[in-house]
Amino acid sequence: MSLFDRQEKKTINEAINIVRTTKNAVLVDVRSKEDYDKHHVAGAISIPYNRLDLAEHRIRSKDLLVYVYGSYYHKPRAIVKKLRKTGFTNIHACGYFEEHNVNPS
């Protein structure tokens, strides 16, 4: 991970707020289809970790701002690295679904 990645890291809740207030931004859920179908962030695009080939069809441009969330088992950082290699230029990991709406004590 580069220094730039560490400075730009957002939590899942921060990424949700950015995506909801930014015109050309999307949130991608890379958990399994079954997990997505049970619960997901409203508006998130499902691209399961084992079907990354769907990314080019489900994300309309490789230049869009993309935030990827996963789970403790489906690591978003690893998925981001793979998708960067396919040409996505503004893609970032933003944490785990398990952290969604968790309020710190």
Side-chain angles (χ1 to χ4, degrees), residues 16-29:
I16 291 166
N17 289 332
I18 291 168
V19 168
R20 289 183 178 163
T21 59
T22 303
K23 184 177 180 180
N24 290 315
V26 295
L27 189 63
V28 173
D29 184 327

Side-chain angles (χ1 to χ4, degrees), residues 2 5 9 18-20 26 31-33 42 45 55 58 60 69-70 81 83 88 95 97-99 105:
S2 72
D5 288 336
K9 179 125 171 53
I18 291 168
V19 168
R20 289 183 178 163
V26 295
R31 298 173 305 137
S32 69
K33 172 99 170 83
I45 298 169
R58 295 200 176 154
R60 68 179 187 263
Y69 73 88
K81 286 181 183 181
L83 290 174
F88 286 90
F97 183 77
E98 293 88 348
E99 298 168 340
S105 307

Side-chain angles (χ1 to χ4, degrees), residues 33 63 74 76 80-81:
K33 172 99 170 83
D63 296 327
H74 308 113
V80 165
K81 286 181 183 181

Side-chain angles (χ1 to χ4, degrees), residues 13-79:
N13 293 320
E14 290 170 327
I16 291 166
N17 289 332
I18 291 168
V19 168
R20 289 183 178 163
T21 59
T22 303
K23 184 177 180 180
N24 290 315
V26 295
L27 189 63
V28 173
D29 184 327
V30 295
R31 298 173 305 137
S32 69
K33 172 99 170 83
E34 294 79 20
D35 287 342
Y36 178 87
D37 287 344
K38 287 179 191 173
H39 300 287
H40 62 272
V41 175
I45 298 169
S46 175
I47 302 175
Y49 66 95
N50 61 345
R51 290 298 317 271
L52 295 182
D53 57 302
L54 297 173
E56 294 194 35
H57 302 288
R58 295 200 176 154
I59 301 172
R60 68 179 187 263
S61 170
K62 289 188 175 188
D63 296 327
L64 284 180
L65 174 58
V66 178
Y67 283 102
V68 174
Y69 73 88
S71 69
Y72 295 135
Y73 299 105
H74 308 113
K75 308 289 187 197
R77 280 193 206 168
I79 303 301

